[in-house]
Amino acid sequence: MKLILFGMPGVGKGTQAKILAQKHGAVHISTGDMLRANIQNGTPLGTMAKGYMDKGELVPDNLIIAMIEEVLSSAKAKKGYVLDGFPRTVPQAESLETILWRANVPIDKAINIVVDEEEVVRRLSGRMTCPNCGAIYHKYNQPPKVENTCDSCGHVGLIQRNDDKEETVRHRLEVYHKNTEPVLQFYRNKGTIVDINGAKSVEEVTTAIEQVLQSARA
Ligand code: AP5
């Protein structure tokens, strides 16, 4: 499975990427998770990225591209990958073409998960994540089995992301329309992108993505 997941903030890219990567033995490559790990570990990249992320702005392309190139060129990416949150600008998409060509790991498909903006704001305002393993929950849609405790790793103390405040979410949506929508057109011109309805249950969305991949292979 060599897949790119697109969509506005909060459509469920991370949720789907984790399920698909685990099920199909692929590596989940989330630029957001990688940046948050850098912030948590106090690296120079994390220090540079934090200001942009807290404001809902994009981190500069050169920092992101260097980070992605390293992981896509690794041996584990050869077995399959799910890209989540990258590319987000046209220069990132153009660089990705070169990186994938050099590493000889071309994509099977790009999937655009479509959900309306008000639903996205509702989803993000109720999102909780595990700071230990990155598992994603929602207060109402997908609560953990035991309150405030991660089902996956048992960590107690789920957190709300800094950038999930409504005002910041609305700004992230503006940034998405300005910088990331042109990337969809880039893939539409290449004929590699398929839209799927993300306003269904998590399981139904996973099935819809798998069906697209199956028909791409047929
Ligand atoms: P990033 O972490 O990539 O955030 P994002 O793209 O804004 O996406 P989200 O993680 O907010 O949402 P998601 O689509 O993954 O939804 P999720 O599955 O969590 O980026 C954060 C920041 O990092 C950026 O703003 C930028 O600063 C920087 N950055 C990252 N990549 C960059 C790049 N390439 N270039 C430059 N800067 C970059 O689900 C959301 C909620 O909905 C959860 O609560 C979940 O439980 C719930 N949910 C999921 N699916 C369903 C469903 N089917 N039904 C009901 N609820 C659902």
Side-chain angles (χ1 to χ4, degrees):
M1 168 177 287
K2 297 188 181 73
L3 183 65
I4 305 180
L5 291 182
F6 282 109
M8 282 186 282
V11 294
K13 301 181 297 296
T15 300
Q16 294 300 329
K18 284 183 205 304
I19 295 169
L20 291 163
Q22 194 178 22
K23 205 165 156 189
H24 297 271
V27 50
H28 173 202
I29 304 174
S30 158
T31 40
D33 286 352
M34 291 164 84
L35 292 167
R36 282 183 288 276
N38 274 278
I39 293 174
Q40 208 169 359
N41 296 331
T43 68
L45 172 60
T47 309
M48 279 187 276
K50 189 173 186 321
Y52 294 99
M53 292 174 77
D54 285 349
K55 282 189 259 162
E57 297 286 343
L58 293 181
V59 175
D61 286 338
N62 59 328
L63 300 178
I64 298 288
I65 291 165
M67 188 174 81
I68 276 287
E69 179 153 28
E70 195 182 328
V71 53
L72 276 174
S73 311
S74 70
K76 58 185 181 179
K78 293 250 184 292
K79 293 189 192 140
Y81 55 80
V82 183
L83 278 171
D84 156 18
F86 181 91
R88 253 173 154 104
T89 64
V90 171
Q92 289 183 16
E94 288 166 348
S95 297
L96 180 63
E97 297 281 288
T98 312
I99 295 169
L100 295 179
W101 179 79
R102 270 201 219 123
N104 194 22
V105 284
I107 63 163
D108 299 325
K109 216 74 196 162
I111 304 273
N112 180 34
I113 305 177
V114 182
V115 173
D116 78 55
E117 278 199 23
E118 290 314 308
E119 171 63 10
V120 153
V121 175
R122 269 193 296 277
R123 286 186 185 184
L124 292 181
S125 59
R127 172 165 62 183
M128 297 177 297
T129 52
C130 173
N132 186 45
C133 73
I136 303 167
Y137 300 93
H138 189 279
K139 265 190 231 167
Y140 311 113
N141 301 343
Q142 274 196 297
K145 292 191 186 96
V146 178
E147 200 183 338
N148 205 26
T149 305
C150 179
D151 296 347
S152 302
C153 71
H155 178 87
V156 179
L158 303 177
I159 54 165
Q160 191 183 29
R161 272 173 42 179
N162 278 348
D163 57 352
D164 279 350
K165 295 182 202 93
E166 181 168 342
E167 193 185 287
T168 314
V169 168
R170 300 246 177 231
H171 184 59
R172 283 161 62 199
L173 289 168
E174 284 167 19
V175 169
Y176 170 85
H177 292 306
K178 180 164 172 252
N179 296 286
T180 309
E181 267 176 5
V183 183
L184 292 181
Q185 195 53 46
F186 178 93
Y187 285 97
R188 289 200 203 287
N189 293 344
K190 290 164 66 74
T192 46
I193 196 156
V194 175
D195 293 332
I196 65 142
N197 180 2
K200 294 193 170 177
S201 72
V202 169
E203 296 73 20
E204 287 170 313
V205 176
T206 308
T207 304
I209 296 173
E210 288 179 320
Q211 281 168 352
V212 169
L213 290 171
Q214 263 165 17
S215 52
R217 274 186 224 115

